[in-house]
Amino acid sequence: MISNLSFRYGLLFSIFSLLFSCAPEPPAKGAVVSAREEASKIGVAIMKKGGNAFDAMIATDFALAVCYPNAGNIAGGGFAVYRHSNSEMGSLDYREKAPLAAYAEMYLDESGNVIPKKSTFGGLSVGVPGTVAGLEAIHQRFGSLPWKDLVQPAIDLARNGYRVTEKQQQSFESNKEEFIQMNGEHTLYAQNFKAGDLVKNNALAITLERIAEQGSAGFYQGKNAEALISRVQETGGVITFADLNAYQPVWRDPIHFKYKDLDIYTMGPPSSGGICLGQIMKMIEPFDIGQYKQNSLEAVQIMVEAERRSYADRSLYLGDPDFVQVPKDSLLDVNYLNQRMATFSFDRATLSSDINPGTIVWEESEETTHYSILDSMGNAVAVTTTLNGSYGSKVFVDSGGYFLNNEMDDFSSKPGVPNMFGLLGGKANAIAPEKRMLSAMTPTLVLKNGALSMIVGTPGGSTIITSVLQTILNVYEFEMTLQEAVNAPRFHHQWLPDLVTFEPKRFDAGFIQKMQAKGYDIKEEYSRIIGRVDGIHISEENEITTGADPRGDDKAVLFY
Ligand code: GLY
């Protein structure tokens, strides 16, 4: 009798479970896509508590500062491009600034030559951080949950620990020597963490508690300011209390341009991202690139040639709009852009020396991170934030548990000499006190026929712009899903050096040979991963899908 009853209950339970597991997922109401699962989950948890996308942004950002220390940060800077549910479009610039004591020749020796590593390694490479002030500004304007509640998940993550991934283990190993050189052998990230290990960062938990209690004053004043300044100064830097006190983020109009039935909103100067993306897309538009296959010879040629012309303009005209006049409208003028492409022929590569002369060396890509957030009310944020190089200047504030940026390298230390991304800059991007260094970060929102359609961005230094471009074209011209678009092989060109970089082993030899036959210089030794794109797509039927880049540990978490 008993066994018969339990059999029947068992059967009923199985039927219920089966029905339950077969029930279709309800449609997602929002999503967070970031470089780490922990951070994406924290962002979604905030939305589940009733927070909006801006609240989720703050929580996600602080979480990345804990578990993605190569680029997530509290001592770096970034840009956010947003769409409010009331349809307002805007952007916040919380880019780092040059210290008051900075000057144009600060990285040059007596003969006027750039001193190697001075703008990338150590205290003098550190720009005045903007992240905490930026997040606070977002909260003051758009936040709906208490600030403390948004910082708390990151405090818990720092205190309880996060798991090291395989990729992270490699990253710690390859930077260990420099961590030790800068910070001594007891520094946290030189402790040989292996994949699966738990990293607890109690010092960062305490710093975050100060920020939770005091807001940005917990970072820019008091104990943290003292620790930051003394660490910068003992490693050769010049940041003072006056710099920290003076830091202010700036609300700016995003760059807006049309491409067919799309309205694209993206970051303007001091990022070059938006203007370059706009120039490239407007140069491509007349070619109706969708008639060619994705990554076909013709499609790649059109994109490379538009990129060549835009990156040449970047080096001459772009800088901090609070210091130099950026001819934004002229650079995005359709007649000007059509004229720029007039010299393009499918028969033969244009030589970069015919666009503008120069010779430079390409160096390895460094790190930044991007995340995309959508909430159930229709608020959307695309955020790209950075320490510049992986782990920034490598200067670790031991008592605070965080790395300092090396964003000063994004200035042009000397006109005509490339930065770590091989990018050239001119006078417009020369160093001056309190100036913001030129960026390539391109957090972007796409509207289709007036409705929000995509939130997208990526790290990747100079390859940020071209990775965002390819993702957008893959979806809207080559009809891929966002995840397919993100996964697709990428290539990059940036005027100088005059070569095209293809992701390793992702383009077949026949294709590469055809490019070479057209006169394109392809140096396979420079091949590398290009970008780590994280995005959200909203279909015309309102279906939310995501793209999290498999090149990293990136993860999309949907909000139901
Ligand atoms: N530091 C990378 C960028 O801002 O483009």
Side-chain angles (χ1 to χ4, degrees):
M1 180 70 182
I2 288 175
S3 67
N4 198 12
L5 247 186
S6 62
F7 171 76
R8 280 195 210 163
Y9 279 130
L11 196 68
L12 264 178
F13 179 75
S14 309
I15 291 168
F16 271 128
S17 328
L18 197 69
L19 279 175
F20 198 67
S21 66
C22 290
E25 292 261 45
K29 295 188 286 189
V32 180
V33 191
S34 82
R36 288 286 300 223
E37 183 169 14
E38 295 90 331
S40 299
K41 280 185 170 165
I42 282 173
V44 167
I46 291 295
M47 293 200 273
K48 284 188 178 158
K49 281 190 181 160
N52 60 26
F54 301 101
D55 295 319
M57 167 186 167
I58 294 160
T60 304
D61 209 293
F62 280 124
L64 286 168
V66 176
C67 62
Y68 197 61
N70 56 319
N73 66 81
I74 53 173
F79 299 115
V81 176
Y82 64 85
R83 178 182 187 271
H84 194 272
S85 55
N86 66 13
S87 300
E88 173 197 331
M89 308 292 305
S91 70
L92 181 68
D93 164 2
Y94 53 99
R95 180 75 163 160
E96 300 92 325
K97 295 176 80 167
L100 287 157
Y103 55 98
E105 301 83 19
M106 65 191 279
Y107 300 115
L108 306 184
D109 65 17
E110 282 161 8
S111 321
N113 297 317
V114 175
I115 304 168
K117 289 186 95 167
K118 217 167 175 184
S119 65
T120 57
F121 187 60
L124 201 61
S125 67
V126 183
V128 183
T131 297
V132 181
L135 296 178
E136 185 176 64
I138 289 282
H139 187 253
Q140 284 168 348
R141 187 148 169 187
F142 297 123
S144 69
L145 294 184
W147 170 258
K148 275 187 187 175
D149 295 3
L150 307 177
V151 192
Q152 190 60 46
I155 297 172
D156 297 340
L157 188 60
R159 190 150 279 137
N160 301 330
Y162 69 89
R163 295 269 168 212
V164 174
T165 67
E166 301 273 348
K167 290 190 175 92
Q168 230 167 3
Q169 178 188 331
Q170 285 165 17
S171 164
F172 294 156
E173 281 166 3
S174 60
N175 286 281
K176 181 176 167 183
E177 209 175 290
E178 288 199 324
F179 292 159
I180 292 176
Q181 193 185 335
M182 188 56 65
N183 307 295
E185 59 189 24
H186 299 299
T187 190
L188 178 66
Y189 283 105
Q191 299 314 306
N192 298 320
F193 291 116
K194 302 283 176 237
D197 285 355
L198 204 55
V199 178
K200 296 185 182 182
N201 189 343
N202 206 42
L204 183 54
I206 293 168
T207 306
L208 289 169
E209 274 167 351
R210 279 196 198 109
I211 294 170
E213 288 297 324
Q214 302 165 40
S216 66
F219 181 84
Y220 292 94
Q221 294 170 23
K223 281 210 162 71
N224 185 65
E226 281 165 28
L228 189 156
I229 285 165
S230 74
R231 194 74 193 105
V232 165
Q233 294 185 352
E234 70 200 19
T235 53
V238 292
I239 292 177
T240 63
F241 286 103
D243 285 306
L244 294 183
N245 275 323
Y247 188 85
Q248 290 291 334
V250 185
W251 298 98
R252 298 192 192 273
D253 288 336
I255 295 287
H256 168 228
F257 64 93
K258 284 184 176 293
Y259 178 89
K260 299 189 173 176
D261 57 356
L262 307 177
D263 278 275
I264 298 186
Y265 291 86
T266 179
M267 195 65 214
S271 182
S272 60
I275 289 186
C276 289
L277 184 68
Q279 284 197 304
I280 296 168
M281 292 193 76
K282 296 303 282 183
M283 282 190 266
I284 290 173
E285 193 174 21
F287 290 87
D288 197 13
I289 199 168
Q291 70 180 295
Y292 305 107
K293 274 179 120 165
Q294 192 260 351
N295 279 350
S296 62
L297 190 61
E298 293 85 352
V300 172
Q301 275 191 278
I302 295 166
M303 289 158 79
V304 165
E305 294 299 344
E307 289 164 3
R308 187 191 310 281
R309 288 151 175 84
S310 177
Y311 276 81
D313 279 353
R314 178 194 194 276
S315 73
L316 283 179
Y317 297 112
L318 301 188
D320 182 347
D322 296 340
F323 282 71
V324 292
Q325 247 193 332
V326 177
K328 190 176 80 181
D329 295 337
S330 312
L331 288 170
L332 288 168
D333 179 77
V334 175
N335 294 328
Y336 167 70
L337 294 170
N338 288 344
Q339 186 198 323
R340 289 287 272 167
M341 280 301 264
T343 50
F344 162 59
S345 153
F346 281 109
D347 296 339
R348 195 88 202 137
T350 308
L351 295 177
S352 285
S353 53
D354 289 344
I355 298 288
N356 233 324
T359 10
I360 58 167
V361 183
W362 173 292
E363 286 187 22
E364 269 303 291
S365 162
E366 299 293 333
E367 297 293 331
T368 292
T369 190
H370 174 85
Y371 55 91
S372 296
I373 302 184
L374 173 70
D375 71 18
S376 58
M377 294 156 276
N379 297 298
V381 274
V383 182
T384 314
T385 176
T386 186
L387 288 168
N388 195 24
S390 230
Y391 311 95
S393 60
K394 313 290 191 290
V395 178
F396 193 69
V397 181
D398 285 295
S399 62
Y402 57 89
F403 285 100
L404 299 172
N405 71 80
N406 62 348
E407 216 69 60
M408 289 296 285
D409 187 62
D410 271 345
F411 280 116
S412 54
S413 295
K414 183 181 176 183
V417 176
N419 73 356
M420 67 159 73
F421 303 114
L423 287 169
L424 288 180
K427 280 201 184 125
N429 189 32
I431 304 169
E434 294 203 271
K435 190 174 173 184
R436 287 169 155 91
M437 52 298 280
L438 188 61
S439 170
M441 294 192 283
T442 316
T444 298
L445 302 181
V446 179
L447 274 62
K448 186 168 181 180
N449 299 320
L452 181 67
S453 179
M454 189 190 282
I455 308 163
V456 69
T458 181
S462 55
T463 71
I464 289 175
I465 301 162
T466 54
S467 299
V468 169
L469 167 77
Q470 288 168 81
T471 309
I472 294 174
L473 293 179
N474 285 348
V475 170
Y476 296 102
E477 290 282 12
F478 303 115
E479 295 178 2
M480 294 177 163
T481 65
L482 179 56
Q483 189 62 60
E484 288 166 351
V486 166
N487 295 355
R490 295 194 195 111
F491 60 92
H492 174 71
H493 176 69
Q494 60 178 44
W495 174 53
L496 292 173
D498 191 353
L499 56 89
V500 187
T501 307
F502 289 91
E503 278 192 291
K505 302 191 185 83
R506 302 215 54 199
F507 290 79
D508 70 59
F511 172 83
I512 300 284
Q513 279 159 12
K514 281 187 197 153
M515 286 289 290
Q516 285 167 328
K518 298 265 181 198
Y520 291 96
D521 194 359
I522 289 153
K523 293 244 164 54
E524 305 234 33
E525 67 262 36
Y526 293 125
S527 292
R528 58 187 178 146
I529 283 178
I530 297 177
R532 274 183 217 103
V533 178
D534 284 341
I536 301 172
H537 182 253
I538 305 105
S539 74
E540 282 162 77
E541 295 71 39
N542 242 354
E543 191 199 351
I544 295 167
T545 52
T546 55
D549 206 316
R551 294 162 181 85
D553 295 317
D554 305 49
K555 188 80 181 169
V557 178
L558 290 167
F559 167 45
Y560 292 103

